Amino acid sequence: MKPEIYILGVGHNTALTIELAEACGYRVAGLYHYCDGLTGQMVCGVEVMGTHDNLLSEPNLQGRNFALSMGDNDIRASLFYLIKERGGFLPPLVHPTCVISRFAEIGEGSQLEAYCVVHANSCIGENCNLQPYVLVCHNSTIGKHSFLAAKSIVGA
């Protein structure tokens, strides 16, 4: 049985996050949105279970996996820490087509879409979002909660 993951944020990036989570071996068990308007609806075949506030009112999220799909880095950072404070886990999601050096580090909650390359001695901080075809050259550091657009190159 595949491990479950819940996704916070319903919008333009939701389908991409669902596909990435599935490519990484997860079953998307539910979505959470910032407001009540979508609760109970199906988005990309997954039910919107409630709001971020509904979820975060639970004092213990221990043993549950989460991914963030909203584009606003400040909101992503805030939710990242709120989930962690309640014991939730945000696994790094690295698409199977990525090439990651065994000497690289990928932070908790980071999402690397298809065909990213991360060279040796590079560090991707926690909760980063790297879109398709990003290249992070050797000895580079991407700070936490960063977003790199498709085909970005970060030099050594």
Side-chain angles (χ1 to χ4, degrees), residues 3 5-6 8 11 14 28 45 50 63 69 72 91 101 109 119-120 122 134 142 149 154:
I5 194 165
Y6 297 87
L8 279 70
T14 304
V28 180
S69 74
D72 185 303
S101 167
H119 287 172
S122 292
V134 167
I142 307 300
V154 177

Side-chain angles (χ1 to χ4, degrees), residues 113-152:
E113 294 285 347
Y115 303 107
C116 290
V117 176
V118 181
H119 287 172
N121 302 318
S122 292
C123 178
I124 309 299
E126 62 189 21
N127 196 31
C128 291
N129 188 314
L130 279 62
Q131 293 294 294
Y133 295 98
V134 167
L135 169 60
V136 179
C137 295
H138 64 89
N139 300 82
S140 296
T141 299
I142 307 300
K144 59 187 176 181
H145 314 296
S146 295
F147 174 87
L148 295 177
K151 298 185 178 181
S152 295

Side-chain angles (χ1 to χ4, degrees), residues 6-154:
Y6 297 87
I7 297 174
L8 279 70
V10 178
H12 301 293
N13 202 41
T14 304
L16 296 173
T17 307
I18 290 171
E19 289 177 338
L20 177 60
E22 290 173 345
C24 292
Y26 290 92
R27 182 181 74 76
V28 180
L31 303 172
Y32 289 89
H33 193 44
Y34 73 92
C35 67
D36 262 337
L38 298 177
T39 300
Q41 293 184 28
M42 299 297 282
V43 175
C44 300
V46 180
E47 183 179 358
V48 179
M49 315 263 309
T51 67
H52 300 167
D53 289 339
N54 296 144
L55 174 70
L56 296 172
S57 68
E58 297 180 32
N60 186 353
L61 300 176
Q62 191 120 15
R64 293 170 68 185
N65 296 306
F66 298 92
L68 304 174
S69 74
M70 67 285 304
D72 185 303
N73 288 347
D74 291 334
I75 294 171
R76 285 175 62 88
S78 175
L79 289 171
F80 177 85
Y81 292 119
L82 288 171
I83 289 168
K84 286 182 55 99
E85 286 171 9
R86 288 162 179 76
F89 182 62
L90 295 105
L93 299 177
V94 179
H95 195 277
T97 61
C98 292
V99 178
I100 311 297
S101 167
R102 66 187 179 104
F103 301 111
E105 295 179 32
I106 309 295
E108 183 179 0
S110 287
Q111 298 176 22
L112 282 67
E113 294 285 347
Y115 303 107
C116 290
V117 176
V118 181
H119 287 172
N121 302 318
S122 292
C123 178
I124 309 299
E126 62 189 21
N127 196 31
C128 291
N129 188 314
L130 279 62
Q131 293 294 294
Y133 295 98
V134 167
L135 169 60
V136 179
C137 295
H138 64 89
N139 300 82
S140 296
T141 299
I142 307 300
K144 59 187 176 181
H145 314 296
S146 295
F147 174 87
L148 295 177
K151 298 185 178 181
S152 295
I153 298 174
V154 177

